[in-house]
Amino acid sequence: MKHIKIDTQVKKLRAMSFRKLAGWVNVDHLIVTLLVLFLGWLLAFASINLTVFNPVKKAFADFSMTDIFYEIQNSSGVKEFNNDIVLVDMTELYDRRKIAQSIRDIASCQPKVFVIDLIFERPSYDEEENECLINAVSEIKNGIVSCKLINYDSKNDAFRGARRSFFEGMEDAGFSWGFSNVISGEGYGCIRKYSQNEHLMGTTVYSLPYLAV
């Protein structure tokens, strides 16, 4: 009988202690605390073992304070226009006769600098098209024609070749070549600066916008 009474008293004490503990602990706070701990562990695990957050990391890595400045400047509604530079879109022109005629029309306006950001790697099967294009390009003055630097030699920090238009033997016609590669050394992302000159087989060549300026 004594043992039974002692066990009963122990159970009553345990029940009373549990009620006191339950009264001290707020169940809602306990649940929120556990959820926070779980989410913290999940984020720590994901940042170490998963690549799902790489785009966010790259987005913040490719950030500059000047981005905010230009964004504020553009959102102000005040934009400055430069009438000294005229851009002519030729992306919809596939006929070289029409391209040649467009070059003649622009040349008739006597621009100070005439930049042609097009590369005609191969001659056309139509000899008349080739002749029209060659004659139009040969007539421009102070012209700069686009080319592309190829075969980079990292050991010597120089390029081994350049891809030019098929009329590359016409340097005496009054135009020069400028490379249109975007060489920045910044990898992928927003390009904020790029090379103005590069080395090509022992000579220094300049970029298209640099020569235009």
Side-chain angles (χ1 to χ4, degrees):
M1 294 295 293
K2 291 182 179 181
H3 291 292
I4 295 174
K5 288 182 179 180
I6 292 173
D7 292 339
T8 304
Q9 290 177 355
V10 171
K11 290 180 180 180
K12 288 180 179 180
L13 290 174
R14 288 178 179 177
M16 291 174 62
S17 300
F18 179 77
R19 291 192 192 99
K20 289 182 180 180
L21 181 63
W24 294 336
V25 177
N26 189 305
V27 178
D28 294 336
H29 292 173
L30 178 62
I31 293 174
V32 171
T33 303
L34 293 176
L35 285 175
V36 170
L37 292 175
F38 174 74
L39 290 176
W41 172 83
L42 182 63
L43 289 174
F45 175 79
S47 62
I48 296 174
N49 298 281
L50 302 178
T51 59
V52 67
F53 294 105
N54 281 349
V56 178
K57 181 180 178 181
K58 291 180 180 179
F60 280 101
D62 186 30
F63 175 78
S64 174
M65 291 301 296
T66 55
D67 297 341
I68 300 178
F69 171 77
Y70 287 119
E71 184 65 25
I72 296 173
Q73 188 181 44
N74 291 333
S75 62
S76 63
V78 180
K79 293 182 174 59
E80 296 182 1
F81 294 93
N82 191 328
N83 295 323
D84 296 331
I85 301 175
V86 178
L87 301 178
V88 180
D89 186 7
M90 295 189 181
T91 54
E92 299 298 327
L93 293 180
Y94 301 99
D95 189 337
R96 293 187 176 183
R97 294 185 185 86
K98 294 182 179 179
I99 295 175
Q101 185 58 48
S102 298
I103 292 175
R104 288 194 179 93
D105 293 340
I106 298 171
S108 65
C109 298
Q110 299 181 351
K112 292 182 180 180
V113 179
F114 195 148
V115 179
I116 302 178
D117 191 9
L118 297 171
I119 300 178
F120 305 93
E121 294 187 38
R122 299 178 181 83
S124 172
Y125 293 105
D126 189 338
E127 292 296 335
E128 186 178 349
E129 277 191 353
N130 296 330
E131 186 176 353
C132 288
L133 186 61
I134 291 173
N135 291 336
V137 174
S138 63
E139 293 171 3
I140 64 176
K141 297 179 180 179
N142 298 323
I144 305 169
V145 182
S146 175
C147 69
K148 181 180 180 180
L149 302 180
I150 57 175
N151 299 329
Y152 177 68
D153 183 4
S154 59
K155 183 178 180 180
N156 297 316
D157 190 24
F159 289 86
R160 297 173 180 169
R163 184 172 291 133
R164 298 184 174 94
S165 296
F166 68 92
F167 47 77
E168 62 177 315
M170 295 172 48
E171 284 83 351
D172 297 334
F175 65 86
S176 56
W177 300 96
F179 67 85
S180 54
N181 310 53
V182 180
I183 304 172
S184 66
E186 296 182 354
Y188 297 100
C190 181
I191 303 299
R192 298 180 178 87
K193 59 182 179 179
Y194 58 89
S195 174
Q196 296 180 351
N197 59 79
E198 293 291 335
H199 298 290
L200 173 64
M201 295 183 294
T203 60
T204 301
V205 291
Y206 297 91
S207 67
L208 197 72
Y210 179 83
L211 292 177
V213 173

